Amino acid sequence: MRFIHYPQLRERGITFTRVHLNRLIKAGDFPPPVRLGGNSIAWVESEIEAWAAQKAASREQFAN
């Protein structure tokens, strides 16, 4: 299992602010982070990839 920290999310094109990410997480629209330590959180890479794939797949509904 690999973890992705916030700067790595941005490198992958997920450019949401931390505040917006927190809103999405609370709404259940983004995978929640894992607390790695006192001040360290990260996301599970496979969960982020699945979220991105689901978002890409959902755009097909706009093509019809």
Side-chain angles (χ1 to χ4, degrees):
M1 177 182 320
R2 292 186 50 169
F3 293 106
I4 299 173
H5 292 275
Y6 181 73
Q8 294 168 311
L9 288 177
R10 298 185 69 75
E11 291 170 5
R12 291 172 182 249
I14 301 170
T15 59
F16 301 134
T17 65
R18 292 176 192 262
V19 171
H20 187 63
L21 275 178
N22 285 333
R23 287 184 194 134
L24 291 173
I25 292 164
K26 286 180 183 177
D29 295 331
F30 196 80
V34 175
R35 184 160 301 280
L36 300 176
N39 292 325
S40 180
I41 63 167
W43 287 264
V44 177
E45 182 179 44
S46 60
E47 292 176 359
I48 297 301
E49 289 172 352
W51 174 86
Q54 183 266 332
K55 288 296 182 183
S58 70
R59 72 179 173 183
E60 293 173 3
Q61 70 184 359
F62 294 108
N64 296 328

